[in-house]
Amino acid sequence: MAVVASAPGKVLMTGGYLILERPNAGLVLSTNARFYAIVKPLYHHLSPDSWAWAWTDVKLTSPQLSRESMYKLSLKNVTLQCVSSSGSGNPFVEQAVQYSVAAAHATFDKDKKEALQKLLLQGLDITILGSNNFYSYRNQIEARGLPLLPEALATLPPFASITFNSEESSGENCKPEVAKTGLGSSAAMTTAVVAALLHYLGVVNLALLSDQNQVKDTTDLDVVHMIAQTAHCVAQGKVGSGFDVSSAVYGSHRYVRFSPEVISSAQVSAKGAPLQEVILEILKGKWDHERTKFCLPPLMTLLLGEPGAGGSLTPSMVGAVKKWQKADPQKTQETWRKLSEENLALETQLNTLSKLAEKHLDEYKSLINSCSMLKPEKWIEQATQQSQEAIAKALVGARNAMLGIRYHMRQMGKAAGVPIEPESQTQLLDATMNMEGVLLAGVPGAGGFDAVFAVTLGDSSNHVIKSWSSRNVLAMLVREDPRGVSLEGADPRTREITSSISSIRIE
């Protein structure tokens, strides 16, 4: 029986750069862009070439890249060896397989280990699929003479093919022609593979997570999180902040990173320590990350736009900021303190709006709908009741906090010599924030030229989408979906899925 798990991409709304260091927090929104992993037995019987049951076969397929790889998995050391491949390897999936199988070995008793051995000897057949939203198809849209509108993106087939540069197709490190959109595809992919494997092998039971709002015991999610974080860090060769994996597992939330030392044993494992011992250390380690419930208030829509100005290299931008941090620690500390205050102010105002919506829903709806048709300077005038005055003040407070965040991010960029909010983005964001019904606009994550985001009120998003198009910005089909990792009912290709569907929910 096939197991299908999915995990979402992310948008880091606040906390760029600061989130790299504890105790700074960031607001991360999970999205309807999802990576899917399908795990099933490779054989209906025991693996034919199991070499006295010391090895089993693993097949990895990525239909969008037209790639297929075959591996041998050592059942003793839980290490993968690539036997054949139609392209370069995928270190994120490879590490996800090794750490997930090691977790099963390390945590099962004798009886369960025997059942695990039999299951593994049937081989593992793993297929990965990523939503179109993870990739930029802007060039294809323009080449076909279609307008820069989400409707044009919706004409693409689900899980569209990602072609490779013909000159480099024989090379080991050839890159896709299609650029990424910065939604954290490697984190979502790693999390989906880990979740699907852990469920398939019986380490966790994701079926109990069908309604994540009602989940009180997060033990299984925590196991997925620890293993996905470890596999992702080892694959990329460094311990990042982990917010992208955290949102892939838990959905939208306020995040404070874990202490990097918790994964240090995994980095040492490359030097020969048995993986089962390493994973036990990691599962028993002191994971001190903080996760607080958060999502956008009601009647607010997340929009993501692609300016088409070329991609930004996040690692080099982070490197430049760290260099500035060392060179001028006093100025850095002052900038970060002010930025942190504005981040907290925005979070406070958005949480206030969520509480006011819960308490005064009718008044909230009425005011949001009125404000959605007006420019921000007229919002306060729309409050005709006392409860609406508090709502209007929180809306204006959120806008002011966002303006403060943008100012300090620009200052940091100038000091570090990197385009965190380039001039072209500043003009676009200023124009966006002055449109009717726009609450917030900014550059997500580390900033740069990759993308812009906006949060709109009521039905004002259509107006923003058309306005962006006239400014040569393609609004993507991305929306917030607070759901984290999920067990799916079937292979997504067998359903009528389009890029604009938010997600498939478990009934």
Side-chain angles (χ1 to χ4, degrees), residues 219-282:
T219 305
D220 282 354
L221 279 180
D222 296 340
V223 171
V224 173
H225 176 250
M226 289 184 278
I227 294 170
Q229 285 284 18
T230 306
H232 192 253
C233 287
V234 172
Q236 65 182 3
K238 62 179 175 134
V239 182
S241 69
F243 77 88
D244 44 5
V245 171
S246 187
S247 62
V249 175
Y250 300 109
S252 297
H253 61 277
R254 176 190 190 268
Y255 176 79
V256 176
R257 70 159 304 153
F258 54 87
S259 298
E261 300 79 45
V262 78
I263 291 182
S264 58
S265 58
Q267 294 173 298
V268 175
S269 72
K271 298 172 184 172
L275 215 52
Q276 289 99 315
E277 288 178 21
V278 171
I279 204 70
L280 266 181
E281 257 189 73
I282 284 161

Side-chain angles (χ1 to χ4, degrees), residues 43 54-55 106 115 130 174 177 209 215 230 293 313 315 321 403 405 472 482:
Y43 310 111
W55 299 80
C174 52
E177 275 181 8
L209 306 174
V215 174
T230 306
K293 193 176 175 183
L313 294 170
V321 170
L403 290 169
I405 290 168
N472 205 33

Side-chain angles (χ1 to χ4, degrees), residues 65 67 69 71 82 85-91 94 164 171-174:
L65 299 178
R67 283 186 175 174
S69 301
Y71 298 87
C82 187
S85 180
S86 55
S88 56
N90 187 326
E94 290 164 8
F164 282 78
E172 280 296 300
N173 298 311
C174 52

Side-chain angles (χ1 to χ4, degrees), residues 359-473:
K359 202 172 177 183
H360 310 284
L361 186 57
D362 291 341
E363 295 93 329
Y364 177 89
K365 280 182 180 176
S366 172
L367 185 65
I368 294 292
N369 288 331
S370 297
C371 293
S372 71
M373 296 178 276
L374 298 168
K375 293 203 170 189
E377 57 267 25
K378 295 191 177 176
W379 291 355
I380 291 283
E381 300 167 19
Q382 305 310 304
T384 55
Q385 300 172 48
Q386 197 173 356
S387 59
Q388 288 185 327
E389 283 178 21
I391 296 164
K393 279 181 185 173
L395 290 172
V396 173
R399 277 182 60 80
N400 290 339
M402 191 72 227
L403 290 169
I405 290 168
R406 287 182 51 209
Y407 172 77
H408 293 300
M409 290 287 269
R410 283 196 302 273
Q411 294 301 104
M412 181 161 59
K414 283 176 190 170
V418 286
I420 293 175
E421 187 185 292
E423 181 57 32
S424 58
Q425 301 284 60
T426 297
Q427 291 175 15
L428 172 62
L429 294 171
D430 286 347
T432 302
M433 282 193 77
N434 285 324
M435 291 177 198
E436 291 89 345
V438 174
L439 180 66
L440 312 172
V443 286
F449 296 94
D450 288 349
V452 291
F453 76 87
V455 174
T456 62
L457 307 178
D459 296 324
S460 60
S461 56
N462 291 334
H463 164 66
V464 177
I465 288 166
K466 286 173 186 170
S467 180
W468 274 0
S469 180
S470 70
R471 294 168 188 271
N472 205 33
V473 177

